[in-house]
Amino acid sequence: MRQIKLSFLLAVFCVCNMSAQGNVAVDTGLQPTGSNKNDDNRFEVSKQLDIFNALIKEVEMFYVDSVDIQKVMRRGIDAILKGLDPYTEYIPENEMADLKFLTTGEYGGIGAYIRSREGGTVITEPFEGMPAAIAGLKAGDRILAIDTVDVSGMPSDGVSLLLKGVPNTKMTLTVQRPGEKKLRKFDMVRKQVIVNQVVYYGVYGNNTGYIYLKGFTDKSAQEVKAAFEDLKKNYQIESLILDLRDNGGGILEGAVQIVNLFVPKGKEVLTMKGKARQWDRTYRTYNEPIDTLMPMVTLINGMSASASEIVSGALQDMDRAALVGQRSFGKGLVQSTRNLPYDGKLKVTTNKYYIPSGRCIQQLDYSHRNTDGSVAAIPDSLTSVFYTENGRSVRDGGGIRPDFEVEEEMAPTMLYYLYTDRDYILFDYITEWVSKHKTIPPADEFEYSDEDYEAFKKYMIEKNFEYDWQSEKALKALKEVAQMEGFVGDDATLFASLEEKLKPNLQYDLERYGKSIKRLISSEIVKRYYYQRGEIQQNLKDDETLRKAVEVLQNRELYNETLNPSLAKNTF
């Protein structure tokens, strides 16, 4: 399934565990009486701020060209924070709506993803049940005007601001649909757009419930609870799979609440520890659970991060669920928000978190960088052993390791270029295919035919689809360094041979990676008809990790012995 999602190739890591603690004192007050370390630090901060302030003034007054101070300052701020870790960032007032969306999954608007294209903006994905989809907008529609405002040449961020607004306000969109000369107008009413985190749930195997959770907001636990109760009441499920693959995290409290659904009240889920001891906090389950006995498997992979790792790690440490998939991302850091002048905020890493066994699963140590600024992962040989409630050994550092590891098929790099193509070649192909097929079978039954794929290959060759290989780029860089250091000389046959082997061959690669490309096309087609839930269903059809999870749950002896090895020892 995840070879289609491609989120690890896009490297979009939305792993922002943000504490709801808000503003707390910055001064730790932890130094022993009589220590002057705090005074030294305060003097150094004051000194550097004076230098920085004077430097900006001098540049603004005397630099030969005009200087956009706002952009200069933003670059400086971003560079300062980037040197700490990837999660500490400045959020100015005009980006606060994005922060709210991450924590609540809500905003006022029409409910659609948009993207810049050739100086304009197109709809790339309407959300199911939201105003854009209800009105009839489709992926590929180019937005020309919003009410009376011409947006045909406006950047997509400007278009986004105009599309968003107070719920229940009316608007009219003028769009150009691909293949049509006549413009279309859509009247719609903005509403409070709620992006559900439980994208899809259903039943697999022998009465096994399945829930896919894509992120953690303040309502994600309610969504999981509702899905579970529906599966239990109306489908009589006897076991459960919670899928956290490609789930980059979200708010910490959402993770604690989801753990609380499946373990007894009063259980410790995690402890946060940081420089300021008064910020340290232990989170426990505080509600009665909905089920503590049903056999359960949690699915994880390398893109399961942050809150996903809290849930999967806590359930593993409590021996409440077996884990299936691949090792998780390894983010054991917590961010809190701090108010800044002019209604901005600082999202800053304040703590590490420790799950019930006592382990921290943070993989990278940002406080000890290499001389080139890079950060190394903690090798397995330096990790420590901890123990679950039933005495199973687990390790810290490097994420959460599954109980049953399933090798995930590596997506060829070509899929990345197809998925992110700036020329929209794949996107346009899907749009054209959909325009010729008014309906398709249900999402889990749809099959993209070999005949259609042959037509797609011809289409790609006609469009002269161009793509680069990372290995080709790396070889070019190596060759330049080798030439600079005098290792190539007159004999460059080795590099010439490698360059020839690494040169993209479109026709060959379309055949070589046909299976993976067909999966991608299938999921993209299904999404046009059945939205994200259909995409998930289509991708689950040949999902080896899901198949393994069902197998584990159906073999109750294996399941029980995995969570409690003493059962195996006492069997005669």
Side-chain angles (χ1 to χ4, degrees):
M1 173 181 174
R2 297 304 177 253
Q3 60 266 40
I4 301 301
K5 295 296 286 186
L6 296 175
S7 54
F8 70 96
L9 288 171
L10 298 177
V12 178
F13 298 121
C14 183
V15 285
C16 55
N17 269 345
M18 288 175 288
S19 171
Q21 292 183 70
N23 289 315
V24 290
V26 174
D27 184 9
T28 66
L30 298 178
Q31 297 302 320
T33 304
S35 170
N36 63 355
K37 186 174 182 179
N38 275 349
D39 293 337
D40 291 343
N41 286 343
R42 293 191 187 100
F43 171 76
E44 192 61 32
V45 169
S46 178
K47 170 185 172 182
Q48 296 303 326
L49 287 175
D50 284 344
I51 294 172
F52 191 74
N53 183 48
L55 184 148
I56 292 297
K57 287 182 178 179
E58 295 295 315
V59 168
E60 195 278 330
M61 291 177 63
F62 298 112
Y63 186 70
V64 63
D65 294 320
S66 60
V67 177
D68 187 327
I69 291 298
Q70 185 175 353
K71 288 185 177 179
V72 168
M73 289 296 294
R74 183 59 191 269
R75 286 199 301 268
I77 291 170
D78 290 345
I80 291 170
L81 300 182
K82 186 178 179 181
L84 300 176
D85 63 46
Y87 317 112
T88 298
E89 59 181 326
Y90 167 57
I91 306 169
E93 180 186 9
N94 62 351
E95 295 177 16
M96 290 304 298
D98 296 333
L99 177 62
K100 181 180 178 182
F101 175 66
L102 287 173
T103 57
T104 66
E106 297 182 10
Y107 68 94
I110 66 170
Y113 288 131
I114 61 175
R115 182 178 169 189
S116 294
R117 177 173 186 179
E118 299 165 358
T121 300
V122 296
I123 301 286
T124 58
E125 183 184 341
F127 300 162
E128 184 174 12
M130 293 295 111
I134 293 172
L137 285 168
K138 296 183 179 298
D141 289 347
R142 180 184 290 271
I143 303 174
L144 301 179
I146 301 174
D147 292 326
T148 59
V149 181
D150 181 357
V151 299
S152 56
M154 185 181 292
S156 61
D157 55 351
V159 176
S160 178
L161 288 174
L162 291 175
L163 291 174
K164 293 177 181 177
V166 179
N168 300 320
T169 54
K170 296 180 179 179
M171 65 184 304
T172 300
L173 257 64
T174 304
V175 307
Q176 177 82 60
R177 181 155 291 176
E180 297 181 359
K181 293 183 179 180
K182 186 178 179 180
L183 303 183
R184 294 193 179 211
K185 288 184 179 289
F186 295 89
D187 295 322
M188 62 190 74
V189 178
R190 295 182 182 90
K191 67 179 291 187
Q192 190 72 4
V193 177
I194 301 175
V195 180
N196 291 328
Q197 302 306 305
V198 173
V199 179
Y200 165 74
Y201 66 91
V203 180
Y204 290 85
N206 185 18
N207 296 326
T208 296
Y210 169 91
I211 300 174
Y212 177 68
L213 183 70
K214 75 172 183 179
F216 290 82
T217 66
D218 56 357
K219 300 176 185 63
S220 56
Q222 299 172 25
E223 294 182 41
V224 172
K225 180 181 179 181
F228 177 80
E229 289 179 338
D230 183 42
L231 289 168
K232 192 173 182 179
K233 178 181 179 180
N234 297 315
Y235 298 90
Q236 292 76 49
I237 62 169
E238 298 175 357
S239 56
L240 177 67
I241 296 171
L242 178 62
D243 193 344
L244 299 179
R245 291 175 294 176
D246 295 334
N247 184 324
I251 65 170
L252 181 149
E253 287 80 0
V256 176
Q257 291 167 8
I258 289 177
V259 173
N260 196 165
L261 296 176
F262 304 106
V263 302
K265 181 179 179 180
K267 299 279 283 186
E268 181 180 313
V269 178
L270 79 152
T271 298
M272 298 196 317
K273 297 179 182 180
K275 179 166 62 177
R277 296 294 174 85
Q278 63 267 37
W279 291 10
D280 292 355
R281 182 176 176 183
T282 296
Y283 287 82
R284 298 179 182 274
T285 54
Y286 50 86
N287 292 323
E288 292 298 332
I290 57 176
D291 193 295
T292 61
L293 300 175
M294 182 178 289
M296 184 175 175
V297 161
T298 303
L299 307 185
I300 58 173
N301 68 0
M303 288 300 296
S304 303
S306 196
S308 294
E309 295 174 296
I310 292 174
V311 172
S312 57
L315 293 176
Q316 185 181 52
D317 283 358
M318 297 179 194
D319 299 299
R320 177 63 184 90
L323 270 55
V324 176
Q326 299 83 42
R327 185 189 294 196
S328 65
F329 181 76
K331 179 178 183 286
L333 305 176
V334 179
Q335 284 72 51
S336 301
T337 56
R338 302 279 302 159
N339 288 338
L340 294 175
Y342 302 99
D343 297 320
K345 284 188 181 292
L346 171 67
K347 181 162 72 72
V348 57
T349 299
T350 53
N351 303 84
K352 291 181 179 179
Y353 70 78
Y354 300 80
I355 50 181
S357 64
R359 55 180 169 149
C360 177
I361 50 84
Q362 176 64 23
Q363 180 170 211
L364 301 176
D365 183 0
Y366 294 103
S367 63
H368 296 89
R369 293 178 179 267
N370 298 321
T371 53
D372 62 355
S374 63
V375 183
I378 300 172
D380 289 347
S381 59
L382 296 183
T383 59
S384 301
V385 175
F386 293 78
Y387 296 94
T388 69
E389 289 185 3
N390 288 338
R392 296 187 297 146
S393 62
V394 289
R395 288 187 171 272
D396 64 356
I400 305 292
R401 297 163 176 82
D403 302 302
F404 299 91
E405 188 155 3
V406 179
E407 186 175 350
E408 190 171 42
E409 181 181 342
M410 192 66 181
T413 313
M414 185 180 186
L415 291 193
Y416 167 81
Y417 293 105
L418 278 170
Y419 200 79
T420 60
D421 177 33
R422 289 174 294 183
D423 294 327
Y424 281 77
I425 293 177
L426 176 62
F427 184 86
D428 288 344
Y429 169 80
I430 302 294
T431 300
E432 184 178 325
W433 192 98
V434 169
S435 70
K436 297 175 181 177
H437 300 78
K438 300 305 179 185
T439 62
I440 63 171
D444 57 351
E445 297 177 10
F446 173 75
E447 296 288 346
Y448 180 69
S449 69
D450 293 336
E451 182 182 356
D452 280 337
Y453 188 63
E454 289 301 317
F456 172 75
K457 290 194 291 186
K458 292 179 182 177
Y459 175 87
M460 295 295 286
I461 292 170
E462 289 172 1
K463 293 292 184 179
N464 193 28
F465 176 67
E466 294 183 353
Y467 56 102
D468 298 317
W469 291 93
Q470 295 300 317
S471 53
E472 183 183 25
K473 293 179 180 179
L475 178 63
K476 183 179 179 181
L478 175 63
K479 184 178 179 181
E480 290 175 355
V481 172
Q483 288 174 332
M484 181 180 67
E485 296 183 347
F487 290 113
V488 177
D490 297 328
D491 184 9
T493 55
L494 177 59
F495 279 102
S497 175
L498 285 172
E499 285 171 349
E500 187 62 31
K501 287 184 178 181
L502 295 175
K503 187 179 296 182
N505 183 325
L506 180 59
Q507 190 163 0
Y508 173 75
D509 290 333
L510 286 170
E511 187 66 36
R512 179 185 182 188
Y513 301 118
K515 185 178 179 181
S516 296
I517 296 172
K518 284 181 67 177
R519 287 175 182 166
L520 173 60
I521 294 173
S522 296
S523 67
E524 289 299 306
I525 287 176
V526 168
K527 186 163 63 175
R528 298 289 182 98
Y529 296 89
Y530 299 109
Y531 305 96
Q532 290 185 18
R533 62 179 171 84
E535 179 188 19
I536 297 294
Q537 287 178 278
Q538 170 68 200
N539 291 336
L540 288 173
K541 284 169 54 177
D542 56 357
D543 191 322
E544 291 297 329
T545 302
L546 175 65
R547 190 174 293 118
K548 181 64 177 180
V550 172
E551 175 190 319
V552 170
L553 287 169
Q554 290 181 346
N555 186 340
R556 291 301 166 83
E557 183 178 1
L558 172 64
Y559 175 83
N560 291 331
E561 290 178 356
T562 299
L563 297 183
N564 194 349
S566 63
L567 294 177
K569 296 176 183 178
N570 296 329
T571 301
F572 297 96

